Amino acid sequence: MTHTVARTPNRVVEIPSIARVEGEGALHLKLSGSRILDLRLEIYEPPRFFESFLVGRRYDEVPDIVPRICGICPVAYQMSAVHGIERLFETDVPAGTRELRRLLYCGEWIESHMLHVHLLAAPDYLGCESAITMAATEREALERGLAIKRLGNDLMAAIGGREIHPVSPRVGGFSKAPATRELRSFLPRLEEALSRTEEVAAWVAGFDPPAFARPAELVGLWHPDEYPMNEGAVRSTQGREFPAERFEDVVEELHVPHSNALHARFRDGGTFGGGSYVVGPLARVNLNADTLTPVARALATRLGLTVPQADPFWSTAARVVETALAVEEAIRLIRDYEQPAPPAADVRPRAGRATWVTEAPRGILYHRYDLDDEGIVREARIVPPTSQNLRHMEDDLRAFLPSALDRDDDELGRLAEMIVRTYDPCISCATHFLTLEVQRT
Amino acid sequence: MAMRRVRVIGCGSPDGADDAAGLLAARAAARRLAGVPGMEVVEAGPAIRVLDLLAGVDAVVAVDAVRTRGGARPPGRLVRVDGDADVLGRALPGTASSHGVGLADVVRLGAALGFAPQVVFVGVEAGRVGAGAGLSAEVRRALPALVSMVEAEALSLSEEVRR
């Protein structure tokens, strides 16, 4: 993090690279006294490329292409795609497919949440510059968190065929379903992880995040019988409800001049103006507190997380709660598991519009595919959770920073980064570059 | 002479133009290194994935595309960095990497957590960046040499006497 400072006549704070964000981001902030003249969260979002890359591909190639958009949450991309296409094709997937997909998603939630809580968020709340400096004092906590994360990775690899870009999910089911015995072998590790999530909660309960209360419309899936991952209606904390097929009627994506990522917003302006809304773990807990599993519910109590709660700094607690939920669900799903046979149903393509929303670790992920009668993609639209949160992140910064303008630039920058990071933005999972500094002796 | 456990780790993104070079090099090296005892080749994707892969081995060859600050190196130029986390950290400052945590950070974090294999970094200077494009001509031409370098480093680490 480097700050460029120009104190007179106006103060300019530039954070050219936001550390510990999944991707690359930059924040430009221009202040005059206690007034914000300009605030721009600049991000680089290459996944847009995939929407055109998908055009001309057949439906069965889609689950192999979309997980490449994100190295951290590939399952989310596969799940929104296969469910949408199967609904259009009216495919009857084999018994057990739904449960196996939920189990796969549990692995991704565990992995992504534990990564964020331990390596990205915790240093903010413990006053450490990074996870590396934090490791000196919090080694046991880090090792515990990374062990739980590893379990999530291993579940993804066992079900998905490999963990980076899972290969087994396909339209119609799975190309190969894991054997019952293989999944059962995870039970002792999952039981241990569940008890360790209580230790994680005790650790996170000791964090001291800033309080930041501001009205917000939180949006996520809602399901009457279970905590939603793969299916449900889209709901908001302000009483909005709509199905996936109406997503683009309700939400529009805007080009903003300072960013090559699109900003999503409610077409009707939203409840609190400006159209911005929030997706992610805190939104899910708000909307689905009734279907939290027992340990998850107990951890929410222990952490002091009660709903309604719109303060974005509670997202870390929500991630811990959802990790326990994903572990509990994984235990239940594995105990009841029956290997789908055959692993996939026959698929008959048909022309039409496939839409679906699932809950990626970072929030709802919308996919739309317009297919012709051979199942060739004619148009694709992908609205990732980060582009839905971007506008709200900027609004948060505008609301929060004026109260902190008496801080020096380093501290102001640190607070701004904390706000951005608590949304766990996945800004450009498709690019990653090392910068090399040449040293000659 | 004890055979050491060596892991070759390809980093990068398959659709990131020259950023795919590390993955492609690892894939090609895997074919050549197949059957070498104690040798494993993996494609890790983002650098944060490398953390899990530092455990359980004596040495790691990490291969990735790099961008020199200020563009001091021509695209296609090969780079080798051999040393501990601090040396790697000086050569590969992490904050400009996406995924928050760069490779040097990951190696340093691994060391702080008690797994510190010898790490040799092999890289190629990227020309074209951004999603969707294929490899640049310069990086494509450099790829066979990059693969040979990965292979040579991996074999040399594998045969080195355990320190």
Side-chain angles (χ1 to χ4, degrees), chain A residues 1 17-24 46-47 49-50 53 65 68-69 71-74 111 115 119-120 131-132 135-136 138-139 142-143 146 149-150 153 156 162-165 426 428-440, chain B residues 11-16 18-19 43-49 51-52 64-69 72-73 79 81 90-93 95-103 105-106 108-109 112-114 121 125-126 128-133:
Chain A
M1 190 174 90
S17 166
I18 298 172
R20 284 181 277 133
V21 161
E22 297 293 342
E24 290 179 74
F49 141 76
F50 282 90
F53 187 61
I65 293 169
R68 293 178 358 207
I69 297 172
I72 306 291
C73 47
E111 185 263 318
L115 173 70
L119 295 186
L120 310 176
I132 299 155
E138 303 289 339
R139 180 165 168 173
L142 264 182
E143 284 175 343
L146 292 172
K149 172 191 164 296
R150 182 73 235 165
N153 289 118
M156 286 165 74
R162 57 180 189 174
E163 67 184 67
I164 304 299
H165 299 131
C426 187
S428 76
C429 281
T431 55
H432 99 117
F433 264 91
L434 298 167
T435 296
L436 185 71
E437 209 137 65
V438 181
Q439 288 186 324
R440 297 180 204 281
Chain B
C11 306
S13 105
D15 304 289
D18 286 344
D19 197 18
E43 293 172 36
I48 188 66
R49 291 282 197 188
L51 185 60
D52 293 322
D64 200 356
V66 298
R67 269 194 307 191
T68 308
R69 198 164 276 171
R73 284 172 191 276
V79 183
V81 183
R90 281 194 296 276
L92 308 167
T95 49
S97 163
S98 80
H99 300 280
V101 188
L103 185 66
D105 290 336
V106 168
R108 208 177 271 131
L109 183 56
L113 295 173
F121 175 81
E125 183 71 25
R128 179 155 54 194
V129 303

Side-chain angles (χ1 to χ4, degrees), chain A residues 66-332:
Chain A
V66 292
R68 293 178 358 207
I69 297 172
C70 180
I72 306 291
C73 47
V75 169
Y77 284 87
Q78 287 179 317
M79 290 298 106
S80 286
V82 296
H83 282 93
I85 295 171
E86 283 164 4
R87 183 171 59 170
L88 172 66
F89 293 174
E90 296 181 349
T91 308
D92 231 346
V93 297
T97 303
R98 183 181 188 281
E99 290 75 17
L100 192 55
R101 285 176 174 170
R102 185 167 171 87
L103 182 60
L104 180 59
Y105 230 142
C106 287
E108 183 162 283
W109 278 26
I110 294 168
E111 185 263 318
S112 178
H113 282 351
M114 289 293 92
L115 173 70
H116 187 267
V117 168
H118 290 85
L119 295 186
L120 310 176
D124 279 337
Y125 302 117
L126 295 171
C128 301
E129 193 191 323
S130 71
I132 299 155
T133 50
M134 196 179 78
T137 50
E138 303 289 339
R139 180 165 168 173
E140 195 188 327
L142 264 182
E143 284 175 343
R144 178 177 58 217
L146 292 172
I148 301 172
K149 172 191 164 296
R150 182 73 235 165
L151 175 59
N153 289 118
D154 291 347
L155 260 181
M156 286 165 74
I159 302 164
R162 57 180 189 174
E163 67 184 67
I164 304 299
H165 299 131
V167 288
S168 67
R170 50 170 282 191
V171 178
F174 284 84
S175 57
K176 182 174 176 290
T180 308
R181 203 175 49 185
E182 189 188 354
L183 288 185
R184 293 265 158 86
S185 71
F186 276 94
L187 285 173
R189 287 176 70 194
L190 285 162
E191 299 280 4
E192 197 204 335
L194 186 59
S195 70
R196 304 210 84 189
T197 57
E198 297 177 27
E199 298 166 23
V200 174
W203 183 60
V204 169
F207 294 178
D208 188 20
F212 178 40
R214 160 175 113 78
E217 186 160 2
L218 283 72
V219 177
L221 290 185
W222 173 84
H223 191 283
D225 309 319
E226 63 183 13
Y227 200 84
M229 290 183 183
N230 274 316
E231 53 197 81
V234 184
R235 265 197 185 180
S236 89
T237 48
Q238 310 313 121
R240 203 183 285 270
E241 179 167 338
F242 56 93
E245 55 267 31
R246 285 199 56 238
F247 188 91
E248 290 176 65
D249 300 332
V250 179
V251 172
E252 64 184 340
E253 288 188 289
L254 298 178
H255 281 283
V256 290
H258 60 265
S259 173
N260 72 0
L262 300 174
H263 280 201
R265 70 173 184 192
F266 283 131
R267 289 182 189 276
D268 66 8
T271 309
F272 303 106
S276 75
Y277 63 93
V278 184
V279 301
L282 188 60
R284 288 191 291 260
V285 171
N286 270 279
L287 293 163
N288 298 280
D290 290 347
T291 45
L292 283 173
T293 45
V295 176
R297 186 182 303 276
L299 295 195
T301 305
R302 165 150 210 174
L303 286 155
L305 174 56
T306 51
V307 296
Q309 179 54 267
D311 180 341
F313 289 117
W314 279 95
S315 302
T316 307
R319 285 184 189 97
V320 175
V321 168
E322 286 194 339
T323 302
L325 177 130
V327 174
E328 286 178 285
E329 281 293 84
I331 291 170
R332 178 183 68 80

Side-chain angles (χ1 to χ4, degrees), chain A residues 409-426:
Chain A
D409 286 354
D410 279 344
E411 181 62 9
L412 193 63
R414 198 183 68 83
L415 286 169
E417 286 193 304
M418 275 174 73
I419 290 182
V420 172
R421 257 199 300 274
T422 197
Y423 288 92
D424 196 10
C426 187

Side-chain angles (χ1 to χ4, degrees), chain A residues 332-354:
Chain A
R332 178 183 68 80
L333 290 161
I334 289 176
R335 283 197 180 132
D336 297 345
Y337 178 67
E338 282 174 36
Q339 190 175 355
D346 287 336
V347 173
R348 194 166 301 164
R350 58 189 281 186
R353 172 162 290 189

Side-chain angles (χ1 to χ4, degrees), chain A residues 212 214 312 392-401 419 423:
Chain A
F212 178 40
R214 160 175 113 78
H392 205 269
M393 284 156 59
E394 280 193 356
D395 290 350
D396 269 1
L397 289 166
R398 274 190 206 96
F400 184 84
L401 293 180
I419 290 182
Y423 288 92

